[in-house]
Amino acid sequence: MQIRSDDGQTRDAEIAVLAKALSHPARIRILRMLQAAPGCIGGEIVEAIGLAQSTVSEHLRILKAAGVISGEIDGPRICYALTPAALAPLTDLISGLTPSPAGACCLPAAKDIA
């Protein structure tokens, strides 16, 4: 699923979809596997991940819906591969998270609270 980045809220929604898709350890293992062996067949992923076929299929569906992976039908099999560009919004967010300059704080001074 790709959401157009017309404004900040839309961009935030896109990042949230990506983060949610990456929020399970099995999905991270699937991504690592696809990184190491592009073009994996669904059955190979099931075997390597060690979960039930239906569970792996659901994880693949979630990753595919978020646009993180693609799946190409090859006869009775589906070949999966990473879609690295899909993670760009999340990468941009994380790389932009830097500490505030010293002394910068959004809390009011104690004298201003009273």
XYZ file of all heavy atoms in Angstrom:
814
model
N 0.836 -1.155 0.000
C 0.000 0.000 0.000
C 0.889 1.228 0.000
O 1.725 1.390 0.873
C -0.870 -0.011 1.254
C -1.545 1.308 1.481
S -2.130 1.531 3.163
C -3.691 0.765 3.054
N 0.729 2.074 -0.961
C 1.496 3.302 -0.982
C 0.542 4.475 -0.892
O -0.473 4.521 -1.577
C 2.341 3.393 -2.241
C 3.442 2.363 -2.243
C 4.510 2.695 -3.242
O 4.311 3.497 -4.126
N 5.649 2.074 -3.092
N 0.864 5.400 -0.020
C 0.035 6.566 0.206
C 0.788 7.768 -0.323
O 1.958 7.947 -0.035
C -0.241 6.729 1.717
C -0.926 5.478 2.251
C -1.084 7.956 1.986
C -1.039 5.446 3.758
N 0.123 8.605 -1.098
C 0.767 9.795 -1.634
C 1.096 10.759 -0.509
O 0.320 10.947 0.410
C -0.156 10.499 -2.615
C -0.050 9.970 -3.988
C 0.132 11.146 -4.951
N 0.019 10.735 -6.313
C 0.858 9.945 -6.932
N 1.855 9.424 -6.306
N 0.700 9.644 -8.188
N 2.244 11.361 -0.595
C 2.691 12.291 0.433
C 2.344 13.717 0.048
O 3.196 14.503 -0.324
C 4.195 12.132 0.642
O 4.483 10.851 1.072
N 1.065 14.066 0.147
C 0.616 15.407 -0.203
C 0.822 16.379 0.951
O 0.958 17.566 0.743
C -0.858 15.389 -0.597
C -1.102 14.504 -1.817
O -0.218 14.417 -2.681
O -2.173 13.902 -1.870
N 0.801 15.888 2.165
C 0.993 16.748 3.328
C 1.632 15.946 4.457
O 1.859 14.749 4.333
C -0.336 17.360 3.779
C -1.379 16.316 4.162
O -0.997 15.211 4.603
O -2.572 16.597 4.022
N 1.911 16.599 5.548
C 2.557 15.940 6.678
C 1.742 14.806 7.258
O 2.286 13.767 7.620
N 0.416 14.985 7.363
C -0.422 13.927 7.925
C -0.395 12.685 7.045
O -0.351 11.564 7.551
C -1.864 14.406 8.091
C -2.056 15.292 9.299
C -3.513 15.624 9.509
O -4.233 15.912 8.559
N -3.945 15.602 10.752
N -0.435 12.872 5.754
C -0.399 11.742 4.835
C 0.936 11.026 4.947
O 0.990 9.798 4.982
C -0.633 12.213 3.387
O -1.867 12.930 3.346
C -0.687 11.056 2.428
N 2.005 11.780 5.038
C 3.345 11.206 5.183
C 3.445 10.428 6.495
O 3.997 9.336 6.532
C 4.380 12.334 5.139
C 5.794 11.878 5.144
C 6.175 11.354 3.810
N 7.615 11.321 3.702
C 8.237 10.896 2.645
N 7.554 10.504 1.607
N 9.531 10.866 2.598
N 2.881 10.986 7.569
C 2.886 10.298 8.860
C 2.092 8.999 8.788
O 2.493 7.988 9.357
C 2.314 11.194 9.959
C 3.231 12.364 10.291
O 4.402 12.359 9.849
O 2.770 13.287 10.984
N 0.974 9.011 8.083
C 0.165 7.793 7.929
C 0.945 6.733 7.160
O 0.903 5.545 7.503
C -1.148 8.114 7.215
N 1.676 7.155 6.146
C 2.496 6.236 5.356
C 3.576 5.599 6.235
O 3.791 4.388 6.186
C 3.126 7.004 4.198
C 3.996 6.178 3.295
C 4.591 6.987 2.153
O 4.418 8.219 2.104
O 5.249 6.376 1.293
N 4.219 6.408 7.055
C 5.262 5.907 7.953
C 4.662 4.946 8.979
O 5.255 3.906 9.285
C 6.001 7.078 8.626
C 6.818 7.842 7.572
C 6.899 6.601 9.757
C 7.353 9.178 8.038
N 3.471 5.261 9.478
C 2.817 4.392 10.454
C 2.488 3.028 9.852
O 2.647 1.992 10.503
C 1.551 5.054 10.991
N 2.044 3.003 8.596
C 1.756 1.738 7.912
C 3.032 0.909 7.799
O 3.032 -0.298 8.064
C 1.130 1.993 6.520
C 1.113 0.732 5.677
C -0.283 2.552 6.668
N 4.125 1.547 7.426
C 5.407 0.840 7.319
C 5.868 0.317 8.672
O 6.288 -0.840 8.790
C 6.474 1.768 6.725
C 6.288 2.155 5.267
C 7.261 3.270 4.883
C 6.459 0.948 4.366
N 5.775 1.156 9.686
C 6.214 0.741 11.021
C 5.380 -0.434 11.528
O 5.918 -1.380 12.107
C 6.128 1.920 11.988
N 4.081 -0.387 11.282
C 3.219 -1.484 11.719
C 3.582 -2.778 10.983
O 3.606 -3.851 11.575
C 1.758 -1.132 11.478
C 0.805 -2.161 12.022
C -0.634 -1.725 11.892
C -1.544 -2.797 12.453
N -2.950 -2.430 12.324
N 3.886 -2.669 9.701
C 4.262 -3.860 8.931
C 5.557 -4.474 9.443
O 5.753 -5.687 9.344
C 4.392 -3.510 7.447
N 6.428 -3.665 10.014
C 7.715 -4.153 10.514
C 7.673 -4.511 12.000
O 8.699 -4.868 12.570
C 8.792 -3.085 10.290
C 9.026 -2.670 8.841
C 10.044 -1.545 8.777
C 9.448 -3.840 7.992
N 6.504 -4.478 12.599
C 6.404 -4.595 14.048
C 6.337 -6.020 14.591
O 6.020 -6.210 15.760
C 5.182 -3.815 14.545
O 3.987 -4.446 14.115
N 6.670 -6.998 13.795
C 6.651 -8.378 14.282
C 7.991 -9.041 13.970
O 8.506 -8.907 12.856
C 5.511 -9.157 13.611
C 5.213 -10.447 14.287
N 6.007 -11.565 14.140
C 4.217 -10.792 15.131
C 5.503 -12.549 14.857
N 4.415 -12.107 15.471
N 8.560 -9.760 14.940
C 9.874 -10.394 14.715
C 9.898 -11.341 13.515
O 10.911 -11.405 12.806
C 10.141 -11.162 16.009
C 9.282 -10.506 17.034
C 8.081 -9.969 16.304
N 8.818 -12.047 13.241
C 8.802 -12.955 12.089
C 8.897 -12.174 10.782
O 9.545 -12.624 9.831
C 7.531 -13.811 12.096
N 8.293 -10.994 10.741
C 8.370 -10.176 9.514
C 9.783 -9.644 9.316
O 10.268 -9.564 8.178
C 7.355 -9.039 9.576
C 5.944 -9.562 9.491
C 4.907 -8.451 9.464
N 3.732 -8.948 10.152
C 3.043 -8.293 11.053
N 3.363 -7.060 11.376
N 2.009 -8.853 11.635
N 10.447 -9.319 10.409
C 11.844 -8.880 10.306
C 12.699 -10.044 9.791
O 13.562 -9.857 8.930
C 12.367 -8.371 11.665
C 11.548 -7.166 12.155
C 13.856 -8.046 11.598
C 11.594 -5.958 11.239
N 12.446 -11.252 10.293
C 13.197 -12.430 9.806
C 12.942 -12.649 8.320
O 13.862 -12.987 7.565
C 12.805 -13.681 10.603
C 13.393 -13.698 11.994
C 13.367 -15.073 12.651
N 12.074 -15.734 12.641
C 11.161 -15.673 13.608
N 11.395 -14.935 14.679
N 10.031 -16.333 13.520
N 11.709 -12.455 7.883
C 11.387 -12.605 6.459
C 12.169 -11.584 5.648
O 12.755 -11.921 4.604
C 9.869 -12.471 6.219
C 9.130 -13.685 6.794
C 9.567 -12.297 4.730
C 7.611 -13.531 6.862
N 12.213 -10.341 6.103
C 12.955 -9.302 5.369
C 14.442 -9.619 5.313
O 15.083 -9.450 4.270
C 12.731 -7.929 6.012
C 11.309 -7.388 5.943
C 11.226 -6.037 6.631
C 10.818 -7.300 4.509
N 15.005 -10.106 6.422
C 16.430 -10.475 6.426
C 16.688 -11.619 5.444
O 17.697 -11.636 4.745
C 16.878 -10.864 7.823
C 16.977 -9.700 8.782
C 17.561 -10.145 10.119
N 17.448 -9.139 11.141
C 18.243 -8.086 11.261
N 19.218 -7.887 10.408
N 18.071 -7.226 12.245
N 15.757 -12.552 5.397
C 15.908 -13.679 4.476
C 15.853 -13.204 3.022
O 16.655 -13.615 2.195
C 14.805 -14.714 4.736
C 14.924 -15.913 3.844
S 13.637 -17.097 4.241
C 14.007 -18.318 2.992
N 14.906 -12.312 2.732
C 14.790 -11.792 1.370
C 15.984 -10.919 0.993
O 16.356 -10.849 -0.167
C 13.480 -11.022 1.201
C 12.219 -11.875 1.249
C 10.973 -10.997 1.198
C 12.203 -12.899 0.124
N 16.575 -10.281 1.978
C 17.779 -9.493 1.717
C 18.943 -10.413 1.345
O 19.706 -10.125 0.439
C 18.137 -8.657 2.942
C 19.349 -7.774 2.735
C 19.685 -6.988 3.988
O 19.397 -7.410 5.111
N 20.285 -5.833 3.794
N 19.045 -11.525 2.044
C 20.139 -12.466 1.797
C 19.921 -13.296 0.541
O 20.878 -13.683 -0.121
C 20.300 -13.396 3.001
N 18.664 -13.591 0.232
C 18.345 -14.455 -0.912
C 17.160 -13.882 -1.679
O 16.026 -14.334 -1.501
C 18.041 -15.873 -0.429
N 17.394 -12.870 -2.514
C 16.295 -12.269 -3.275
C 15.593 -13.317 -4.146
O 16.229 -14.233 -4.652
C 16.984 -11.215 -4.142
C 18.319 -11.004 -3.536
C 18.674 -12.277 -2.821
N 14.314 -13.157 -4.313
C 13.557 -14.058 -5.171
C 13.192 -15.366 -4.499
O 13.080 -16.398 -5.149
N 13.018 -15.339 -3.179
C 12.652 -16.565 -2.450
C 11.239 -17.001 -2.815
O 10.350 -16.186 -3.022
C 12.702 -16.327 -0.945
S 14.362 -16.330 -0.281
N 11.060 -18.294 -2.845
C 9.753 -18.887 -3.071
C 9.059 -19.015 -1.708
O 9.711 -19.280 -0.695
C 9.890 -20.286 -3.724
C 10.734 -20.199 -5.002
C 8.546 -20.918 -3.973
C 10.147 -19.345 -6.095
N 7.747 -18.829 -1.692
C 6.979 -18.891 -0.453
C 7.282 -20.112 0.396
O 7.453 -20.008 1.609
N 7.373 -21.277 -0.208
C 7.649 -22.504 0.536
C 9.001 -22.491 1.217
O 9.166 -23.014 2.323
N 9.991 -21.881 0.574
C 11.325 -21.771 1.173
C 11.281 -20.858 2.398
O 11.959 -21.107 3.395
C 12.316 -21.197 0.154
C 12.562 -22.094 -1.035
C 13.345 -21.394 -2.141
O 13.590 -20.172 -2.051
O 13.711 -22.079 -3.103
N 10.474 -19.823 2.306
C 10.345 -18.890 3.423
C 9.703 -19.601 4.611
O 10.173 -19.485 5.739
C 9.536 -17.644 3.001
C 10.297 -16.871 1.916
C 9.257 -16.743 4.206
C 9.513 -15.757 1.266
N 8.649 -20.368 4.348
C 7.969 -21.123 5.410
C 8.958 -22.043 6.110
O 9.032 -22.082 7.341
C 6.771 -21.926 4.847
C 6.221 -22.887 5.882
C 5.685 -20.990 4.340
N 9.731 -22.763 5.338
C 10.709 -23.705 5.896
C 11.760 -22.977 6.735
O 12.110 -23.415 7.828
C 11.372 -24.484 4.767
C 12.265 -25.602 5.241
C 12.836 -26.397 4.073
O 12.065 -26.726 3.144
O 14.047 -26.651 4.097
N 12.257 -21.865 6.235
C 13.323 -21.137 6.930
C 12.817 -20.422 8.185
O 13.541 -20.340 9.180
C 13.951 -20.116 5.993
N 11.610 -19.924 8.154
C 11.070 -19.174 9.284
C 10.619 -20.116 10.401
O 10.685 -19.780 11.575
C 9.910 -18.252 8.826
C 10.415 -17.229 7.801
C 9.253 -17.542 10.004
C 11.499 -16.307 8.298
N 10.150 -21.290 10.033
C 9.761 -22.274 11.041
C 8.398 -22.062 11.655
O 8.133 -22.540 12.747
N 7.538 -21.353 10.966
C 6.163 -21.160 11.422
C 5.222 -21.864 10.455
O 5.624 -22.246 9.362
C 5.827 -19.662 11.482
C 6.648 -18.814 12.464
C 6.350 -17.345 12.277
C 6.369 -19.237 13.897
N 3.980 -21.994 10.851
C 2.983 -22.624 9.985
C 2.848 -21.848 8.681
O 3.018 -20.621 8.648
C 1.636 -22.677 10.697
N 2.537 -22.554 7.620
C 2.393 -21.934 6.302
C 1.367 -20.801 6.330
O 1.599 -19.733 5.769
C 2.010 -23.004 5.272
C 1.988 -22.516 3.831
C 0.656 -21.897 3.440
O -0.401 -22.305 3.902
N 0.714 -20.889 2.592
N 0.260 -21.013 7.015
C -0.780 -19.977 7.063
C -0.295 -18.729 7.800
O -0.626 -17.605 7.413
C -2.053 -20.520 7.717
O -1.779 -20.965 9.034
N 0.523 -18.925 8.822
C 1.066 -17.796 9.582
C 2.053 -17.011 8.725
O 2.005 -15.780 8.676
C 1.759 -18.293 10.869
O 0.808 -19.025 11.640
C 2.316 -17.150 11.689
N 2.931 -17.712 8.037
C 3.901 -17.040 7.158
C 3.166 -16.325 6.036
O 3.502 -15.187 5.687
C 4.940 -18.042 6.607
C 5.837 -17.382 5.560
C 5.795 -18.602 7.743
N 2.145 -16.944 5.482
C 1.356 -16.304 4.421
C 0.742 -14.996 4.903
O 0.712 -14.003 4.160
C 0.250 -17.239 3.928
O 0.810 -18.323 3.238
N 0.256 -14.983 6.133
C -0.325 -13.747 6.688
C 0.752 -12.678 6.850
O 0.533 -11.512 6.518
C -1.014 -14.035 8.025
C -1.599 -12.814 8.689
C -2.722 -12.127 7.923
O -3.201 -12.657 6.890
O -3.130 -11.032 8.343
N 1.929 -13.050 7.331
C 3.024 -12.085 7.458
C 3.436 -11.553 6.081
O 3.673 -10.355 5.925
C 4.225 -12.713 8.162
C 4.013 -12.933 9.631
N 3.593 -11.943 10.496
C 4.163 -14.046 10.395
C 3.502 -12.422 11.722
N 3.846 -13.710 11.689
N 3.510 -12.425 5.098
C 3.840 -11.995 3.736
C 2.773 -11.055 3.190
O 3.084 -10.054 2.540
C 4.007 -13.209 2.815
C 5.246 -14.063 3.071
C 5.136 -15.391 2.321
C 6.512 -13.325 2.680
N 1.527 -11.347 3.475
C 0.422 -10.499 3.009
C 0.552 -9.091 3.597
O 0.409 -8.089 2.893
C -0.926 -11.108 3.400
C -2.127 -10.299 2.881
C -3.419 -10.675 3.568
N -3.439 -10.331 4.984
C -3.574 -9.084 5.476
N -3.685 -8.054 4.668
N -3.597 -8.879 6.784
N 0.858 -9.006 4.893
C 0.996 -7.713 5.560
C 2.167 -6.925 4.972
O 2.051 -5.731 4.685
C 1.151 -7.911 7.085
C -0.172 -8.423 7.667
C 1.611 -6.629 7.769
C -0.069 -8.957 9.080
N 3.296 -7.581 4.780
C 4.466 -6.912 4.185
C 4.178 -6.452 2.761
O 4.575 -5.357 2.355
C 5.677 -7.845 4.211
C 6.272 -8.131 5.594
C 7.276 -9.273 5.518
C 6.904 -6.877 6.179
N 3.470 -7.274 2.025
C 3.135 -6.928 0.635
C 2.134 -5.772 0.594
O 2.280 -4.850 -0.210
C 2.576 -8.155 -0.083
C 2.466 -7.965 -1.578
C 2.088 -9.255 -2.266
C 1.908 -8.996 -3.745
N 1.352 -10.133 -4.448
N 1.139 -5.785 1.481
C 0.144 -4.709 1.519
C 0.789 -3.367 1.855
O 0.352 -2.325 1.372
C -0.940 -5.044 2.538
N 1.850 -3.399 2.670
C 2.561 -2.169 3.025
C 3.534 -1.744 1.934
O 4.124 -0.670 2.018
C 3.308 -2.360 4.343
N 3.720 -2.578 0.919
C 4.621 -2.254 -0.182
C 6.073 -2.576 0.094
O 6.949 -2.238 -0.701
N 6.348 -3.234 1.222
C 7.728 -3.536 1.616
C 8.315 -4.662 0.766
O 9.511 -4.700 0.521
C 7.791 -3.894 3.118
C 9.190 -4.271 3.548
C 7.265 -2.730 3.953
N 7.463 -5.581 0.326
C 7.904 -6.667 -0.555
C 6.960 -6.741 -1.742
O 5.859 -6.195 -1.731
C 7.954 -8.037 0.171
C 6.554 -8.488 0.597
C 8.911 -8.002 1.347
C 6.482 -9.919 1.130
N 7.428 -7.439 -2.767
C 6.575 -7.722 -3.922
C 6.554 -9.233 -4.108
O 7.467 -9.939 -3.678
C 7.109 -7.031 -5.180
O 8.403 -7.507 -5.482
N 5.506 -9.706 -4.724
C 5.383 -11.127 -4.991
C 4.994 -11.336 -6.439
O 4.039 -10.734 -6.917
N 5.755 -12.152 -7.144
C 5.497 -12.417 -8.557
C 5.136 -13.890 -8.721
O 5.872 -14.772 -8.271
C 6.746 -12.086 -9.372
C 6.546 -12.218 -10.867
C 7.794 -11.793 -11.613
O 8.312 -10.698 -11.341
O 8.239 -12.575 -12.476
N 4.010 -14.124 -9.337
C 3.556 -15.499 -9.549
C 4.409 -16.149 -10.622
O 4.615 -15.601 -11.695
C 2.064 -15.533 -9.930
C 1.240 -14.967 -8.780
C 1.619 -16.948 -10.261
C -0.227 -14.785 -9.083
N 4.916 -17.332 -10.297
C 5.749 -18.112 -11.208
C 5.200 -19.536 -11.217
O 5.635 -20.382 -10.437
C 7.207 -18.087 -10.736
C 8.142 -18.847 -11.664
O 7.768 -19.091 -12.831
O 9.251 -19.196 -11.212
N 4.191 -19.767 -12.062
C 3.519 -21.065 -12.077
C 2.744 -21.248 -10.794
O 2.007 -20.356 -10.376
N 2.942 -22.363 -10.112
C 2.211 -22.588 -8.863
C 2.874 -21.922 -7.657
O 2.399 -22.037 -6.539
C 2.254 -24.108 -8.713
C 3.532 -24.501 -9.363
C 3.708 -23.537 -10.521
N 3.979 -21.226 -7.879
C 4.739 -20.613 -6.776
C 4.671 -19.095 -6.855
O 4.364 -18.537 -7.896
C 6.201 -21.041 -6.849
C 6.389 -22.525 -6.957
C 7.817 -22.872 -7.189
N 8.282 -22.358 -8.479
C 9.416 -22.684 -9.052
N 10.226 -23.503 -8.444
N 9.769 -22.196 -10.212
N 5.000 -18.472 -5.739
C 5.133 -17.017 -5.709
C 6.553 -16.704 -5.268
O 7.023 -17.193 -4.248
C 4.119 -16.354 -4.762
C 2.695 -16.676 -5.193
C 4.337 -14.845 -4.729
C 1.622 -16.100 -4.293
N 7.235 -15.898 -6.077
C 8.599 -15.453 -5.799
C 8.522 -14.089 -5.108
O 7.930 -13.166 -5.658
C 9.335 -15.280 -7.119
S 10.657 -16.408 -7.354
N 9.124 -13.966 -3.936
C 9.076 -12.716 -3.183
C 10.415 -12.001 -3.234
O 11.466 -12.629 -3.281
C 8.704 -12.988 -1.721
C 7.281 -13.449 -1.562
C 6.968 -14.799 -1.490
C 6.239 -12.528 -1.506
C 5.662 -15.228 -1.354
C 4.930 -12.945 -1.374
C 4.643 -14.297 -1.300
O 3.343 -14.711 -1.169
N 10.361 -10.662 -3.219
C 11.570 -9.840 -3.221
C 11.293 -8.556 -2.445
O 10.143 -8.126 -2.328
C 11.988 -9.509 -4.646
N 12.345 -7.959 -1.926
C 12.237 -6.684 -1.214
C 11.915 -5.554 -2.182
O 12.294 -5.605 -3.351
C 13.551 -6.355 -0.507
C 13.963 -7.255 0.637
C 15.352 -6.855 1.128
C 12.966 -7.193 1.765
N 11.265 -4.543 -1.679
C 11.024 -3.309 -2.418
C 11.660 -2.192 -1.591
O 10.978 -1.496 -0.839
C 9.512 -3.061 -2.601
O 8.901 -4.241 -3.093
C 9.246 -1.912 -3.553
N 12.990 -2.043 -1.662
C 13.714 -1.137 -0.772
C 13.217 0.310 -0.798
O 13.204 0.975 0.234
C 15.158 -1.210 -1.247
C 15.242 -2.409 -2.107
C 13.862 -2.698 -2.610
N 12.810 0.807 -1.931
C 12.360 2.198 -2.022
C 11.133 2.453 -1.147
O 10.908 3.589 -0.708
C 12.064 2.561 -3.470
N 10.374 1.413 -0.869
C 9.173 1.575 -0.050
C 9.506 2.012 1.368
O 8.677 2.610 2.046
C 8.379 0.271 -0.025
N 10.716 1.704 1.828
C 11.099 2.049 3.193
C 11.700 3.449 3.310
O 12.028 3.891 4.410
C 12.081 1.009 3.735
C 11.497 -0.393 3.891
C 12.587 -1.373 4.301
C 10.366 -0.404 4.890
N 11.817 4.167 2.211
C 12.440 5.495 2.221
C 11.792 6.458 3.216
O 12.514 7.148 3.954
C 12.463 6.086 0.818
N 10.461 6.542 3.292
C 9.877 7.484 4.270
C 10.257 7.161 5.712
O 10.552 8.057 6.496
C 8.366 7.320 4.069
C 8.214 6.784 2.687
C 9.433 5.922 2.463
N 10.297 5.890 6.047
C 10.679 5.480 7.397
C 12.163 5.754 7.635
O 12.554 6.247 8.697
C 10.361 4.000 7.609
C 10.564 3.441 9.003
C 9.745 4.184 10.042
C 10.210 1.960 9.023
N 12.975 5.483 6.643
C 14.410 5.756 6.729
C 14.660 7.249 6.928
O 15.473 7.647 7.763
C 15.130 5.268 5.455
O 14.884 3.879 5.305
C 16.618 5.522 5.507
N 13.937 8.077 6.179
C 14.083 9.531 6.305
C 13.708 9.997 7.708
O 14.383 10.840 8.291
C 13.217 10.260 5.276
C 13.688 10.046 3.852
O 14.830 9.579 3.646
O 12.904 10.342 2.923
N 12.613 9.451 8.249
C 12.190 9.828 9.590
C 13.260 9.466 10.609
O 13.671 10.301 11.422
C 10.874 9.145 9.967
C 10.470 9.316 11.434
C 10.026 10.745 11.711
C 9.409 8.327 11.821
N 13.722 8.233 10.567
C 14.693 7.764 11.555
C 16.006 8.539 11.448
O 16.577 8.939 12.459
C 14.916 6.247 11.419
C 13.628 5.518 11.855
C 16.112 5.782 12.249
C 13.604 4.047 11.545
N 16.472 8.772 10.234
C 17.734 9.497 10.082
C 17.599 10.960 10.500
O 18.581 11.596 10.865
C 18.256 9.397 8.649
O 17.388 10.082 7.763
N 16.382 11.486 10.493
C 16.157 12.871 10.897
C 15.930 13.052 12.386
O 15.856 14.180 12.876
N 15.814 11.953 13.106
C 15.604 12.051 14.556
C 16.946 12.286 15.243
O 17.694 11.371 15.526
C 14.957 10.765 15.092
C 13.545 10.483 14.616
C 13.075 9.131 15.136
C 12.579 11.582 15.043
N 17.232 13.532 15.477
C 18.485 13.895 16.131
C 18.157 14.667 17.404
O 17.102 15.303 17.498
C 19.364 14.767 15.210
O 18.614 15.925 14.830
C 19.780 14.000 13.963
N 19.044 14.630 18.366
C 18.787 15.357 19.613
C 18.666 16.858 19.364
O 19.281 17.399 18.446
C 20.015 15.059 20.469
C 20.714 13.927 19.816
C 20.290 13.911 18.384
N 17.870 17.487 20.185
C 17.726 18.946 20.108
C 19.034 19.601 20.522
O 19.796 19.032 21.302
C 16.625 19.417 21.048
O 15.412 18.815 20.714
N 19.273 20.812 20.041
C 20.482 21.527 20.480
C 20.444 21.710 21.998
O 19.371 21.780 22.595
C 20.400 22.867 19.769
C 19.311 22.749 18.764
C 18.472 21.572 19.118
N 21.598 21.803 22.600
C 21.683 21.982 24.055
C 20.852 23.183 24.484
O 20.877 24.240 23.869
C 23.140 22.172 24.473
N 20.076 22.989 25.532
C 19.270 24.098 26.058
C 17.915 24.234 25.396
O 17.078 24.964 25.879
N 17.688 23.549 24.284
C 16.396 23.658 23.613
C 15.403 22.712 24.276
O 15.661 21.522 24.380
C 16.537 23.323 22.140
N 14.320 23.252 24.754
C 13.314 22.429 25.432
C 11.960 23.085 25.231
O 11.843 24.313 25.206
C 13.670 22.302 26.918
S 12.527 21.239 27.783
N 10.962 22.262 25.111
C 9.634 22.816 24.884
C 8.877 23.047 26.191
O 7.773 23.554 26.186
C 8.835 21.899 23.976
S 8.623 20.240 24.648
N 9.464 22.653 27.338
C 8.809 22.875 28.620
C 8.999 24.318 29.063
O 10.084 24.884 28.905
C 9.390 21.918 29.676
C 9.196 20.439 29.418
C 9.912 19.632 30.495
C 7.722 20.087 29.379
N 7.957 24.916 29.636
C 8.118 26.295 30.118
C 9.041 26.324 31.338
O 9.150 25.347 32.066
C 6.688 26.698 30.501
C 5.944 25.429 30.691
C 6.627 24.396 29.836
N 9.683 27.424 31.532
C 10.543 27.606 32.702
C 9.684 27.562 33.951
O 8.509 27.947 33.929
C 11.308 28.929 32.599
N 10.257 27.114 35.063
C 9.514 26.989 36.321
C 8.867 28.312 36.730
O 7.742 28.336 37.206
C 10.444 26.467 37.409
N 9.553 29.413 36.525
C 9.001 30.728 36.913
C 7.762 31.080 36.111
O 6.915 31.827 36.570
C 10.062 31.807 36.788
C 10.550 32.034 35.367
C 11.580 33.158 35.334
C 12.202 33.279 33.989
N 11.614 34.124 33.049
N 7.622 30.514 34.868
C 6.482 30.823 34.032
C 5.269 29.959 34.331
O 4.169 30.241 33.875
C 6.857 30.654 32.549
C 7.923 31.641 32.103
O 8.020 32.722 32.714
O 8.644 31.300 31.159
N 5.468 28.884 35.116
C 4.371 27.964 35.427
C 3.520 28.527 36.560
O 2.317 28.382 36.576
C 4.910 26.569 35.787
C 5.599 25.966 34.572
C 3.798 25.656 36.267
C 6.267 24.653 34.840
N 4.127 29.162 37.523
C 3.429 29.641 38.727
C 2.455 30.708 38.453
O 1.863 31.239 37.836
C 4.421 30.151 39.747
